[in-house]
Amino acid sequence: MSAFIPVLYPALRKPDPKYYLSLMQIQLDQLLPVPLKDKILQRKSGIWNENIVFNPGSFVKIKAPSGTGKTTLVHYLYNIRNDYTGKVLVNGKPWSEYGRNEIAFLRQQQLSVIFQDLRLFEQLTALENIELKRVMTPTPYCTPEKVAAMAARLNVTHVLHQSSKTLSYGERQRIAIIRALVQPFEWLLMDEPFSHLDEENTRRAAALIAEECSARKAGFILTDLDDDQHFAYNVLYQL
Amino acid sequence: MASLGLGIAMVLILIALQANSDFNQLLYSDKNQNETADFLVINKKVTNSMMGQPQKTVFSPEEIENIRRQPFVQASGLITSSKFKVVAQAPGELHFATDMFFESVPDSFIDVKEEEWKWEPGNRIIPIILPNDFLNLYNFGFSLSQDLPQISQETVKALPLQIVISNGLISETYTGHIVGFSDRISSFLVPASFMDWANEKYGAAGTAATASRIVIKTADPSNPTLVKFLDDHGYTTNQDKLKFSKTRVIVQTIVSVIGFFGLVLLFFALLVFSMFIQLIIAACKKEIQLLVTLGTAPKQLQRYLLKQFVPLYIIIGIVSLLIVVALQYQAHLVLARHDMAVSPLPAVWTFAGAVVVIALVYIVNLVTVRKYILQDQ
C-alpha cells in the first residue's frame, strides 16, 4: 500500500437529474466561525454574520487580510469544516443535510476547489495527481490531450512525470489548478491560487481559469489578500 | 502472516471436509462395499434358563416387524431352517459322511453371485453355499488331526456331494454342488426356492415356519442406535462387525477435531485480516481523507480497498484447493494399493467449502472496510 495509487472505478451511483435542473446556488446564512467569533464581532465584515447569495455563474472576489478566516471560509464552502454557527446553503439545503454520496457527487460534478495548501498526493507524480481526479467521474470531462494542452499553457509539461514531492511550490500550484479544471463544475473555489506564481504565469493561469469557467458557464469564488485585476469580477467582498 | 493463517485454516477445513467425504465414500460407495459391515445376522441370546426351550429363541411376528421398522434397517430377511434331516456324503474313496442341516435366506442377501444359484422343482442338483469358516475349520483343524487331505475351494466346488434328505418316512438322494463360500452368513445355505419346496415336501406337517435368526442389511453397523437396540432386546450378532464402529468414531473425532481447529484458525485469520485492514486504513488515513475531500464516493473507496485484498483471498483459496487436490490424489494412490477406492479428485463439498470460506472472508472484509471508511469521514 506504499503507493496508494487509486485506480478508481466510476461511481456506481447514477447522477441525480435534479442536480442538473437548477444551477447551483450557494448561500450564506449568518455564517460565523466559532474560533474567530469574538474577533469578528468586533469589526465589520462583508461576509461573516451576513445573509449572502452567490449567484450562479458570477465571478466573486473575496478580499481579506491574513487571519480573518479566508481559508476557513473556503473550507466551509467546500464542506470540510463545520465549526460554525449559521448555515451554508447549497441549492437551498444546508451542508449538514447532505449525505456522503451526495457530497461526493457534488464534488465530482458541480464544485471544484484549489486549496491554499494545494493538497496533492506527494507519492504520486504530477500527472497522476491530475489523472486521479480526471477519472474519478463516471465519464471523464477532459481528454488526456486537453490535460496536456493545459499543462503546456501553464508551462508545467516538463514536470508532469516527476513526483509531486520534488516540484517547486509554484509548479505544484499550477498542477493543483489543472487538477481543479479537469472536472465539470458550476462553482470553483480558489484560495490564494496564484500566491507562488510570477506575473506571467499568473496571467496565463487566470486566463485559463476564466476560459474554463466560461466554457462551463460556471462561477468562482476567489479569496486573496490584495486587490487584483486577474479577472473581470462581478462581485467584490471584504471579509 | 494473516494470509498464511488463512491458508492453513482453509487447508485444514478443506481437509476435514474432504476426509469426511472420503470416509463416507469408503463406507458406503459400491466400490468399497464391505460385506461384513453391511449385513448383520441377529439372533436371541441362548441363556442357561432357555436351554431346552427352542421356541424361546424364535422371533415372534411382532418382534420381526419391530426390527423391520427400525430406521437403521434397510432390508431384512428371515433365515429359514430346514425341517428335515440332511446327510452329506463325499463321493469316491473319501468315506466322509456327516449329518448336517440347511438354511436359506432371501437371494438378495447372498454375497456369492453365482449363475448356478437357482433351483427349480425337478432339479436333482442343489446349489450350496458353505461358510468360509467351515472350510477353514476343516482344512486347518479337522483334516490335520484326522490325517485327511486338505481341500482347496476349487476342489470343493468340483466335488459332487451326495445329499440325502429324509424325514423318517421318505428318503431321497440329491447331488449337492458347492457354488461358493460366504463370509456373511455362517451357515449352510441353499436357495430359498429349494428350501420352501423341501420344507413343504419333507417337513413335519403342521409345523409353521419359524425364524430364530434374522439377517438385516444396514448402512451403518456402527450406528449407536443399532447397538443399543440389540442390547435392549437381548439380541446378539457378530460383535466383531460392531467393533468397526469404534474405529469409525475415532476417525470421525479426529476429522472433527481437524475441522474444529480449522474453524478456530479461520476465526483468528479473519480477526487478523480485519485488524490488518484497520491498520491499512489507519496508515492511509490522510490519503483516504484527501480522496474523500476531492470527491471520491464511499463506494469508490470501498471498491478500491477491497480490490487490494480480494485477489489475495482468491489466490489463497486456489492454493489451498490445489494442496487439497494434491493430498487427495496422493490419498487415492495410497488407498488404491490397499484396494480401497476414493475419488482422485476432491468432493464437490470441498470446493463448496472453499467458496464459503472465501465468501466469509470477503464479507468480514467488506464489513470492516465499510465500518472504518465511514468512521474516517
Side-chain angles (χ1 to χ4, degrees):
Chain A
M1 293 298 289
S2 57
F4 194 82
I5 304 171
V7 182
L8 293 164
Y9 281 88
L12 289 175
R13 215 172 97 87
K14 285 232 169 75
D16 188 334
K18 84 177 175 211
Y19 294 116
Y20 291 125
L21 294 178
S22 63
L23 286 170
M24 187 182 176
Q25 193 189 55
I26 301 177
Q27 210 176 328
L28 305 183
D29 184 4
Q30 306 290 324
L31 185 66
L32 203 53
V34 174
L36 298 173
K37 202 166 184 174
D38 298 336
K39 203 171 150 192
I40 288 166
L41 289 175
Q42 286 167 10
R43 60 180 186 82
K44 180 90 187 95
S45 166
I47 298 275
W48 299 129
N49 214 13
E50 299 285 327
N51 289 325
I52 290 166
V53 176
F54 298 114
N55 288 315
S58 51
F59 287 9
V60 178
K61 163 80 188 269
I62 296 171
K63 189 184 136 185
S66 307
T68 50
K70 206 166 4 78
T71 300
T72 307
L73 175 66
V74 170
H75 287 183
Y76 289 168
L77 291 175
Y78 196 65
N79 192 33
I80 52 177
R81 263 180 78 173
N82 53 14
D83 51 341
Y84 52 76
T85 58
K87 282 175 194 157
V88 178
L89 300 156
V90 174
N91 293 328
K93 191 163 111 177
W95 270 130
S96 55
E97 287 177 21
Y98 281 88
R100 288 171 220 282
N101 289 313
E102 286 174 304
I103 291 170
F105 176 79
L106 284 175
R107 287 174 182 170
Q108 284 182 19
Q109 301 285 346
Q110 297 186 299
L111 192 58
S112 192
V113 67
I114 301 167
F115 290 110
Q116 189 187 27
D117 54 356
L118 307 180
R119 305 201 178 186
L120 299 178
F121 286 100
E122 288 199 338
Q123 57 272 64
L124 301 185
T125 66
L127 187 62
E128 282 166 350
N129 267 290
I130 297 168
E131 279 298 294
L132 167 71
K133 182 72 191 172
R134 192 178 74 85
V135 300
M136 200 183 281
T137 45
T139 43
Y141 181 81
C142 277
T143 59
E145 293 75 30
K146 171 81 178 167
V147 171
M150 289 197 280
R153 275 184 73 173
L154 300 189
N155 295 322
V156 286
T157 306
H158 61 290
V159 298
L160 280 182
H161 294 287
Q162 284 180 26
S163 162
S164 59
K165 214 185 323 190
T166 63
L167 304 190
S168 76
Y169 205 92
E171 285 163 341
R172 272 188 260 171
Q173 204 156 31
R174 281 172 279 170
I175 297 300
I177 290 171
I178 296 173
R179 185 177 68 180
L181 295 179
V182 293
Q183 70 165 95
F185 60 81
E186 290 177 23
W187 281 103
L188 174 62
L189 308 175
M190 295 184 276
D191 190 3
E192 296 187 53
F194 311 129
S195 60
H196 287 72
L197 300 187
D198 60 29
E199 215 167 288
E200 168 63 10
N201 277 318
T202 301
R203 197 184 53 73
R204 286 165 169 263
L208 180 66
I209 291 168
E211 243 171 64
E212 292 297 324
C213 285
S214 304
R216 292 168 173 82
K217 296 187 169 53
F220 67 67
I221 297 170
L222 183 146
T223 65
D224 213 339
L225 296 166
D226 308 303
D227 289 319
D228 67 80
Q229 303 298 321
H230 303 317
F231 297 99
Y233 298 113
N234 301 114
V235 200
L236 282 169
Y237 289 100
Q238 176 81 35
L239 194 64
Chain B
M1 281 308 283
S3 324
L4 192 68
L6 179 68
I8 294 173
M10 195 131 157
V11 169
L12 284 181
I13 291 172
L14 296 187
I15 285 179
L17 281 171
Q18 185 55 41
N20 203 38
S21 144
D22 284 353
F23 204 67
N24 281 338
Q25 216 174 13
L26 285 174
L27 273 185
Y28 303 124
S29 93
D30 296 336
K31 282 186 213 158
N32 298 298
Q33 204 56 278
N34 189 337
E35 50 195 272
T36 56
D38 293 340
F39 291 88
L40 292 175
V41 176
I42 297 174
N43 54 266
K44 289 185 175 177
K45 243 175 224 163
V46 177
T47 60
N48 284 341
S49 60
M50 286 159 74
M51 283 167 67
Q53 300 168 284
Q55 69 277 9
K56 283 208 168 173
T57 60
V58 171
F59 287 102
S60 70
E62 294 79 40
E63 285 170 328
I64 294 168
E65 192 48 42
N66 186 28
I67 291 172
R68 260 185 201 144
R69 271 205 313 271
Q70 297 305 315
F72 47 78
V73 176
Q74 289 179 342
S76 67
L78 302 180
I79 298 185
T80 317
S81 44
S82 52
K83 297 204 178 66
F84 41 82
K85 286 179 178 157
V86 179
V87 176
Q89 293 172 338
E93 66 260 27
L94 281 172
H95 304 298
F96 172 77
T98 178
D99 283 340
M100 61 183 287
F101 63 96
F102 284 145
E103 286 187 305
S104 77
V105 294
D107 286 350
S108 58
F109 291 93
I110 300 292
D111 55 337
V112 180
K113 297 289 175 219
E114 283 287 340
E115 282 301 301
E116 295 107 328
W117 190 249
K118 49 190 171 209
W119 187 89
E120 283 164 16
N123 288 7
R124 301 305 295 179
I125 297 176
I126 311 165
I128 298 170
I129 291 176
L130 292 184
N132 253 330
D133 292 344
F134 179 75
L135 188 62
N136 289 339
L137 283 177
Y138 171 81
N139 273 339
F140 304 108
F142 190 71
S143 72
L144 295 178
S145 64
Q146 303 289 314
D147 207 16
L148 287 167
Q150 288 181 319
I151 314 172
S152 70
Q153 284 199 352
E154 290 68 33
T155 311
V156 174
K157 283 185 181 177
L159 282 178
L161 285 174
Q162 234 178 42
I163 304 289
V164 181
I165 291 175
S166 61
N167 66 350
L169 297 171
I170 5 172
S171 163
E172 277 191 78
T173 306
Y174 294 85
T175 304
H177 176 45
I178 311 292
V179 297
F181 298 86
S182 168
D183 282 320
R184 191 178 291 164
I185 297 160
S186 289
S187 187
F188 303 96
L189 297 175
V190 291
S193 50
F194 172 77
M195 182 59 85
D196 294 344
W197 175 84
N199 269 347
E200 180 74 25
K201 186 170 179 194
Y202 304 105
T207 52
T210 55
S212 49
R213 298 214 289 173
I214 296 175
V215 58
I216 60 162
K217 186 182 177 196
T218 177
D220 183 8
S222 52
N223 189 339
T225 0
L226 168 67
V227 178
K228 187 167 182 299
F229 176 82
L230 296 181
D231 280 350
D232 287 353
H233 291 79
Y235 302 154
T236 64
T237 183
N238 188 343
Q239 293 298 320
D240 218 33
K241 295 175 181 179
L242 302 179
K243 267 187 195 163
F244 179 65
S245 71
K246 262 188 190 160
T247 321
R248 183 171 168 204
V249 169
I250 291 168
V251 172
Q252 274 192 337
T253 310
I254 292 171
V255 167
S256 310
V257 166
I258 292 176
F260 174 74
F261 275 110
L263 282 178
V264 169
L265 252 170
L266 176 70
F267 173 75
F268 278 104
L270 289 178
L271 199 72
V272 172
F273 258 112
S274 160
M275 289 167 80
F276 182 55
I277 290 171
Q278 286 175 39
L279 186 72
I280 282 180
I281 290 177
C284 299
K285 193 170 180 166
K286 234 179 84 185
E287 281 83 0
I288 289 175
Q289 266 174 350
L290 182 48
L291 280 172
V292 172
T293 303
L294 291 176
T296 310
K299 276 206 170 118
Q300 289 176 306
L301 259 184
Q302 182 183 309
R303 273 176 172 227
Y304 171 71
L305 281 169
L306 284 177
K307 233 188 108 202
Q308 305 295 307
F309 302 111
V310 171
L312 184 68
Y313 306 146
I314 308 263
I315 290 169
I316 291 173
I318 290 171
V319 169
S320 307
L321 264 182
L322 285 180
I323 290 173
V324 172
V325 167
L327 286 175
Q328 175 66 13
Y329 189 68
Q330 196 61 36
H332 165 72
L333 293 182
V334 170
L335 288 176
R337 263 180 248 146
H338 300 285
D339 285 333
M340 289 188 272
V342 291
S343 143
L345 283 175
V348 180
W349 282 112
T350 311
F351 288 102
V355 172
V356 167
V357 170
I358 290 180
L360 194 65
V361 174
Y362 178 80
I363 289 168
V364 167
N365 279 224
L366 188 69
V367 169
T368 316
V369 165
R370 270 206 186 148
K371 189 175 159 200
Y372 288 90
I373 284 183
L374 295 185
Q375 206 180 55
D376 261 15
Q377 282 179 39

